[in-house]
Amino acid sequence: MPTRLPGTPYAIIPRNLQDSGFSRYNDLMIMTIPTTKKREVIDLTDILAEQVRGKSGHMYLFVQHTTAAVTTADLDPGTDQDLLDALRGMLPNVQWRHPHDPAHTPDHLLASIIGPGLTVTVTEGSLQLGEWQRIVLLEFNGPQQRAVDISFIGSPPPQQPFAL
């Protein structure tokens, strides 16, 4: 059953994975994100920071779509639009051959250039990001309901005993 994140349109669907037996634990959840514009940058940093409280390890994000991507970015005012404009400006104005909608080809290409995945180190509940880095979803073909798999592998929380 999805859990709506307070004060946001996002939901988390937890998935429990069994312990691997090597003093590690794994968490998997799916975050659903409703986008509202054709092209937009959505900051996920604060919501993800809440999900890794008390953990150390690595968080991996994977967007389940071919017209959206995840990355890190500086989000000073206006830089979100600068990023989208720069990415779109990288693509030539040519006759695309995408069978179901040639005008929609750049959406796929931009998502492929950025990529569907991102790994972030987590230390004692803190995302290890640079001073200006934010974790963002890039939407190239909205508005849509997007799904981001979030998996975490790390050391057991301090209250769990260490065992091999």
Side-chain angles (χ1 to χ4, degrees), residues 61-66 68-70 115-118 137-138 146-149:
L61 303 147
F62 180 81
V63 64
Q64 300 178 3
H65 308 279
T66 62
V70 290
L118 177 69
L137 171 76
L138 300 177
R146 296 302 191 172
V148 178
D149 286 347

Side-chain angles (χ1 to χ4, degrees), residues 27-41:
D27 290 332
L28 174 63
M29 62 188 98
I30 299 171
M31 180 186 294
T32 59
I33 303 163
T35 64
T36 60
K37 300 175 186 167
K38 165 72 174 153
R39 298 181 324 146
E40 67 182 308
V41 177

Side-chain angles (χ1 to χ4, degrees), residues 41 45 61 70-75 83 114 117-120 128-130 132-138:
V41 177
T45 311
L61 303 147
V70 290
T71 191
T72 60
D74 176 353
L75 288 185
L83 175 60
I114 300 298
L118 177 69
T119 302
V120 179
Q128 299 302 292
L129 297 171
W132 303 108
Q133 281 182 306
R134 305 294 290 178
I135 300 169
V136 296
L137 171 76
L138 300 177

Side-chain angles (χ1 to χ4, degrees), residues 5 8 10 31 43-53 127 129 134-135:
L5 296 171
T8 75
Y10 310 135
M31 180 186 294
D43 188 356
L44 304 176
T45 311
D46 295 336
I47 292 162
L48 294 170
E50 289 293 320
Q51 300 303 312
V52 299
R53 267 196 205 161
L127 297 169
L129 297 171
R134 305 294 290 178
I135 300 169

Side-chain angles (χ1 to χ4, degrees), residues 8 13 18 22 30 40 67 69 73 83 99-100 107 129 136-137 140-141 150:
T8 75
I13 304 167
Q18 294 198 348
F22 294 101
I30 299 171
E40 67 182 308
T67 57
L83 175 60
H100 77 266
D107 305 333
L129 297 171
V136 296
L137 171 76
F140 298 114
N141 188 40
I150 304 165

